[in-house]
Amino acid sequence: MNLLEKIRKFLHWETSPKPAITLNDELYAQLLPFRTPLILIQLLMLIGTLGYYYLENYSIMDAIFQAGYTFTTVGFGSMNEGSFSPEGQIFTVTLIILGFTTFTFAIGIVVEVVRKGQLSRILKERRMLYSIARLKKHYVVCYHNDYTLEVTKQLKENHIPFVVVDPREEIHEWAQEHNYTTYLRAEPHAELTMLKAHLASAKGLITLSSSMSDNIALIASVRLFEKEHFLPRPYYIISSAESVSDVEKLKKLGADTVISPTKLTAQRVTAMAARPDMENLLEEFLYKSDNPLDMEEIEVPKYSWAVLKKLKETHMREITNTSVVGITKKDGKFLAMPKGDVLITSECKLLVIGTQKDINVTKDLLRKRDKPKELKFV
């Protein structure tokens, strides 16, 4: 580590992470036409400086100054142009004509590049890629539709970063209308898109396309991306499907959770019919942003000190002020409202209710290898 890096680390100066795809090659291709006029300008300035240096016996600085405002045709009067030799006068006229021609040529190139609009598009996308590169543990939400609008709304309310990806041109208008701060116009299943969306640092991916083939292609592509890039942990993939058979297909392909709008609607209607007073329970308890309580499932690691301990022996309610309302065993069996004598097993999941701050304390507590000091005082 060199001195500059040590100073940066001491002052906590962190450089902005660079995206995997920077579009430098595309940007260079757009700026390439400017190379010729820039070379001509430098060459003519050099010729003009040497010309006045030898023909009029100017000093180097005077020759540069005379060549500059002659070449750019901004006028005369600053120096002794009235006493030019015939050779100097011909040289000056030639330099003015060449300067006018070069600048006209350069303006034509600028107008042509701006008219095409590619340079502006690349610069905007490049800025977007650098913004996405700063995201961590975000979700990549694919295909803009009514479901996407509701999902992104909930993500924003819960302060969860996300990137919306859609191949249609209208994504720019939708992003402005619905305040998508980070988005991409690209095919979601392409590897280049996954690199642009900074999928390596993402928590998961959400695909809610109405087309089953789109969801299948995306799930398969993401799982392949994991293997090819040797990522340490799998992505959490959420998808949607209309029929029960499609739900099973997507799960076999690698989706962690598959939502069936038809099934969810039926369950909600049934719940409302059976218990009308419970209609808004989920909205009030889980989805309302100003509710202090939260619910989260916490996995118990293999190395946790709590493994093979009875629930009452962990004293989680006293230490973290949270309550365990359910336990999902490793084999998938769910135990609701567990009693204190229930054993906590390796890689089971505890359904915990409490404030988000207390839930985070519970996560840290369960990740410890050694018995926490707090238990000595319980």
Side-chain angles (χ1 to χ4, degrees):
M1 184 182 294
N2 57 35
L3 179 61
L4 184 60
E5 291 177 347
K6 290 181 179 178
I7 295 174
R8 186 184 293 116
K9 183 178 180 180
F10 177 77
L11 297 176
H12 301 286
W13 288 350
E14 296 184 0
T15 57
S16 299
K18 291 185 179 180
I21 306 297
T22 59
L23 299 181
N24 286 338
D25 293 339
E26 291 83 350
L27 185 61
Y28 176 76
Q30 292 297 315
L31 297 176
L32 189 60
F34 294 99
R35 183 173 61 180
T36 301
L38 287 175
I39 292 175
L40 288 176
I41 290 173
Q42 298 300 321
L43 184 61
L44 290 176
M45 276 294 298
L46 178 61
I47 294 173
T49 300
L50 294 176
Y52 287 117
Y53 178 78
Y54 287 107
L55 294 175
E56 301 300 330
N57 295 321
Y58 279 3
S59 65
I60 290 294
M61 289 306 302
D62 288 343
I64 293 174
F65 181 72
Q66 180 72 56
Y69 75 72
T70 302
F71 173 65
T72 54
T73 66
V74 296
F76 287 86
S78 297
M79 301 185 70
N80 56 336
E81 295 88 356
S83 60
F84 276 176
S85 64
E87 294 83 1
Q89 292 175 350
I90 295 175
F91 179 79
T92 301
V93 171
T94 304
L95 191 61
I96 292 174
I97 294 173
L98 291 175
F100 178 78
T101 304
T102 301
F103 279 109
T104 303
F105 176 57
I107 291 172
I109 291 176
V110 172
V111 171
E112 179 65 18
V113 171
V114 172
R115 185 185 64 82
K116 290 180 178 179
Q118 292 297 319
L119 180 60
S120 176
R121 179 192 64 79
I122 291 173
L123 289 174
K124 288 181 180 179
E125 186 176 358
R126 198 167 184 265
R127 286 196 296 269
M128 184 64 68
L129 292 179
Y130 274 87
S131 297
I132 294 173
R134 289 192 286 268
L135 300 180
K136 290 183 179 179
K137 295 184 179 180
H138 59 288
Y139 276 95
V140 179
V141 184
C142 301
Y143 303 110
H144 173 87
N145 50 36
D146 292 338
Y147 294 120
T148 305
L149 291 178
E150 293 300 322
V151 168
T152 53
K153 181 181 177 181
Q154 294 294 330
L155 291 176
K156 280 188 283 189
E157 288 181 358
N158 288 278
H159 307 287
I160 300 173
F162 62 89
V163 180
V164 177
V165 181
D166 194 283
R168 291 168 288 183
E169 179 65 35
E170 294 83 359
I171 184 61
H172 302 291
E173 299 175 6
W174 295 331
Q176 187 174 7
E177 180 181 356
H178 302 291
N179 195 25
Y180 296 158
T181 54
T182 48
Y183 67 93
L184 289 172
R185 179 180 176 251
E187 290 291 345
H189 62 270
E191 183 180 8
L192 182 63
T193 304
M194 297 178 192
L195 292 172
K196 288 182 177 181
H198 204 39
L199 195 60
S201 296
K203 186 176 182 180
L205 180 136
I206 303 173
T207 171
L208 302 174
S209 174
S210 57
S211 172
M212 183 68 175
S213 58
D214 288 339
N215 293 332
I216 291 174
L218 190 50
I219 293 170
S221 299
V222 171
R223 293 308 182 200
L224 183 62
F225 183 85
E226 286 178 348
K227 293 181 180 179
E228 291 182 343
H229 291 266
F230 305 101
L231 299 178
R233 56 180 178 80
Y235 295 115
Y236 186 69
I237 300 179
I238 303 172
S239 185
S240 64
E242 293 294 332
S243 64
V244 177
S245 60
D246 289 341
V247 170
E248 294 302 320
K249 287 178 184 177
L250 293 179
K251 285 187 176 180
K252 289 179 181 179
L253 283 169
D256 296 285
T257 301
V258 182
I259 307 299
S260 175
T262 305
K263 185 177 179 180
L264 286 177
T265 303
Q267 290 174 343
R268 183 65 184 273
V269 171
T270 304
M272 290 169 58
R275 294 288 303 276
D277 56 316
M278 299 293 286
E279 177 183 354
N280 297 318
L281 175 63
L282 288 177
E283 283 79 359
E284 290 294 326
F285 183 68
L286 291 178
Y287 304 137
K288 199 170 182 181
S289 59
D290 58 352
N291 194 319
L293 291 179
D294 203 349
M295 180 186 291
E296 190 169 339
E297 205 171 41
I298 304 173
E299 183 174 346
V300 179
K302 293 181 181 179
Y303 56 81
S304 175
W305 65 274
V307 173
L308 299 181
K309 296 285 193 307
K310 292 181 180 180
L311 187 60
K312 63 182 179 182
E313 293 176 346
T314 62
H315 296 282
M316 273 191 286
R317 179 175 292 183
E318 293 85 350
I319 297 174
T320 66
N321 198 29
T322 58
S323 298
V324 178
V325 296
I327 298 179
T328 303
K329 299 293 184 179
K330 189 177 180 180
D331 58 4
K333 292 182 180 179
F334 180 76
L335 177 63
M337 303 305 296
K339 295 182 179 180
D341 293 331
V342 175
L343 283 178
I344 298 176
T345 56
S346 172
E347 298 183 73
C348 70
K349 295 179 181 179
L350 307 182
L351 186 61
V352 180
I353 290 180
T355 64
Q356 188 59 55
K357 181 180 179 181
D358 292 336
I359 290 176
N360 291 334
V361 174
T362 305
K363 288 180 182 178
D364 295 335
L365 185 71
L366 292 172
R367 288 170 184 163
K368 292 182 178 180
R369 294 178 181 271
D370 301 322
K371 188 175 179 180
K373 297 178 180 179
E374 293 89 341
L375 289 179
K376 297 179 180 179
F377 305 101
V378 177

